[in-house]
Amino acid sequence: MSSCICSTCKNLKSVADEEDIEGNGIIESCEFGFPSEDCETCELEGCELTCDHYVSDIGSEDFMMTTCSRCGVSIKLMANRQDGDVYCFDCYLKKQ
């Protein structure tokens, strides 16, 4: 059986379910819609569906290594990012 086409698609987004009382629910959505009505609730390991809007997210992003502007720790960034200083998570929360 082949893998689910949605599981490796760059267009598939995970968002928090705001209606989930416990706050730990995740909803999978696609801006183009799923290739089948069954995809939204599917729990199968794979299928034979195809999608005209499929864009692979496997190995498609280029990353570069840089350092935090404050503490110097190494950080992996998107290669096309060109805007200002870069901070690690801890320094970003501490900066004023």
Side-chain angles (χ1 to χ4, degrees), residues 69-85:
S69 297
R70 181 173 279 174
C71 72
V73 71
S74 292
I75 302 171
K76 186 177 181 180
L77 287 180
M78 298 292 297
N80 61 357
R81 187 175 185 275
Q82 300 293 326
D83 55 329
D85 293 332

Side-chain angles (χ1 to χ4, degrees), residues 21-90:
I21 296 171
E22 295 177 12
N24 55 5
I26 301 292
I27 298 173
E28 302 288 338
S29 66
C30 177
E31 65 181 290
F32 300 105
F34 292 105
S36 167
E37 291 180 10
D38 298 329
C39 290
E40 192 169 357
T41 57
C42 179
E43 295 181 15
L44 298 175
E45 292 294 320
C47 66
E48 299 295 327
L49 293 174
T50 60
C51 179
D52 293 337
H53 304 286
Y54 177 79
V55 178
S56 176
D57 69 351
I58 298 173
S60 63
E61 304 296 337
D62 292 326
F63 293 97
M64 65 182 212
M65 294 302 290
T66 189
T67 57
C68 173
S69 297
R70 181 173 279 174
C71 72
V73 71
S74 292
I75 302 171
K76 186 177 181 180
L77 287 180
M78 298 292 297
N80 61 357
R81 187 175 185 275
Q82 300 293 326
D83 55 329
D85 293 332
V86 176
Y87 297 95
C88 69
F89 184 75
D90 291 333

